[in-house]
Amino acid sequence: MKPSADHAHGPRKPITHAIYNISVSRILSAFRGVLDALDDLQQSLSTRTSVTDPGARLIAAHTELLEAMSSHIEDAFQIMKACHPPRPDIGEPFADRWLERARFRGAAHFKVAVKPYRDVVSALVNRVKHEHGQLRLIAFSNGVVHVPGYYLEAIGSDGVAGQDPALHPGNTAFSFNRDLRLHFIHLYDIGNALKAVLSPALKQQGIRVTGRPIMHSSQELLLVAERVEALGTTVFPDEVRKATPHVRVQEGDDNVSVAVRYPSLATFRLPDPTMIVSTLIQGDGFTSQFRVPYFGRDLG
């Protein structure tokens, strides 16, 4: 995902490798946590047992995944900074602003490339971490097929707690079947965007780019990719009309590759009209009215 570089300033290469490897490892660990919790929730929905505990674990695990993906973008700026010639005169602690002051144009190109994804993830993470926002579980189920998802809860001007209208317009939510595919694809997109800005910048500095990829556990990545590929293809009603993310693990004679595409020609399916919509809400001792996604709207 990111080029390897030989550099006269000895420590920079291992620093960039370490930042990238640790960042990706955190993301893969977070994916495993979400997928494991999702399996537990599916089991509870199938056996019609309480979803309170598995639902809470799933939301906690997904919160960590969102934070890991948000941090991965910020780590990319740290990598760019580590590859830039030292500037002791710049005392800016934030890497993206440091790069701006250093007039590293690649940082601006990277920002543009990741902006659509970064805006959504940052909004979710910032609301949860700094504004007491809550992610809430929602699921479509008919006893056989289960489609869990989540939404960011916000308090409306009428005092009713419901989905944040900026992230969930039209009384909607995010299904895990679509959302996890999107996050996995953007792991690749962030790496590709970083490589695109680093390669020419390093060459201008006389740094030889070898093209060797950063090494991390290929087996771990493939296992996550296989589980993401195996997710169901039924999503929430409004998501059928959105661009479809597609993840596919392809096995050849001597190797295994992961193919990702967004948007793709793949299609998702609408939930069955007989499905029941349920949500897991926790009161705060004050709010007495709640608005649940998809209630009061045509699901077709």
Side-chain angles (χ1 to χ4, degrees):
M1 296 180 191
K2 186 177 77 66
S4 172
D6 293 328
H7 199 300
H9 300 281
R12 291 192 179 182
K13 180 176 175 180
I15 286 175
T16 59
H17 284 210
I19 293 171
Y20 196 80
N21 284 342
I22 291 171
S23 189
V24 171
S25 293
R26 179 187 178 187
I27 289 170
L28 294 179
S29 177
F31 262 109
R32 291 198 310 272
V34 175
L35 291 164
D36 288 346
L38 191 57
D39 287 345
D40 291 342
L41 179 67
Q42 294 274 10
Q43 179 65 23
S44 294
L45 288 169
S46 295
T47 57
R48 297 185 180 181
T49 55
S50 174
V51 300
T52 300
D53 288 342
R57 288 196 300 273
L58 176 57
I59 291 300
H62 195 62
T63 300
E64 163 60 13
L65 176 59
L66 293 172
E67 291 181 3
M69 292 299 298
S70 179
S71 294
H72 190 54
I73 296 173
E74 305 314 311
D75 289 339
F77 290 113
Q78 291 289 349
I79 290 170
M80 289 181 235
K81 180 180 176 182
C83 292
H84 193 280
R87 286 287 304 273
D89 58 309
I90 300 178
E92 174 59 56
F94 296 100
D96 58 338
R97 297 177 187 173
W98 188 98
L99 290 161
E100 182 178 340
R101 291 186 59 184
R103 298 189 178 182
F104 179 69
R105 285 180 292 181
H109 294 305
F110 178 81
K111 278 186 177 180
V112 170
V114 303
K115 186 180 188 305
Y117 178 72
R118 187 188 192 193
D119 285 351
V120 175
V121 171
S122 294
L124 286 165
V125 170
N126 289 334
R127 286 289 304 278
V128 172
K129 289 183 68 174
H130 306 300
E131 300 178 30
H132 305 287
Q134 300 290 328
L135 299 186
R136 299 301 190 193
L137 180 73
I138 181 173
F140 279 60
S141 178
N142 63 4
V144 178
V145 177
H146 315 289
V147 188
Y150 71 98
Y151 62 96
L152 176 68
E153 185 180 79
I155 305 298
S157 58
D158 56 0
V160 178
Q163 56 280 9
D164 186 310
L167 288 168
H168 310 291
N171 198 27
T172 58
F174 299 143
S175 72
F176 284 109
N177 285 345
R178 183 176 188 270
D179 201 58
L180 290 179
R181 287 181 168 95
L182 267 178
H183 292 305
F184 189 80
I185 287 173
H186 278 98
L187 173 59
Y188 280 83
D189 285 349
I190 292 166
N192 289 334
L194 180 58
K195 178 180 177 180
V197 302
L198 278 186
S199 295
L202 294 176
K203 287 179 181 178
Q204 286 180 1
Q205 298 174 37
I207 302 170
R208 185 169 62 88
V209 180
T210 65
R212 294 191 302 270
I214 293 296
M215 296 304 295
H216 55 268
S217 175
S218 299
Q219 186 61 31
E220 185 179 11
L221 180 67
L222 286 172
L223 288 174
V224 169
E226 288 172 348
R227 294 180 71 181
V228 171
E229 180 188 20
L231 290 169
T233 55
T234 301
V235 296
F236 292 160
D238 56 295
E239 294 179 318
V240 172
R241 296 183 291 274
K242 295 180 179 179
T244 304
H246 184 62
V247 177
R248 184 182 178 189
V249 179
Q250 300 171 307
E251 296 189 17
D253 293 335
D254 300 316
N255 56 52
V256 180
S257 63
V258 178
V260 297
R261 187 176 294 275
Y262 178 73
S264 74
L265 296 178
T267 57
F268 283 135
R269 293 184 294 180
L270 281 167
D272 189 283
T274 63
M275 283 185 166
I276 296 173
V277 183
S278 58
T279 187
L280 190 60
I281 297 173
Q282 182 177 354
D284 56 13
F286 178 78
T287 305
S288 59
Q289 293 180 294
F290 298 87
R291 183 179 297 109
V292 179
Y294 300 106
F295 274 73
R297 61 166 285 169
D298 183 7
L299 300 184

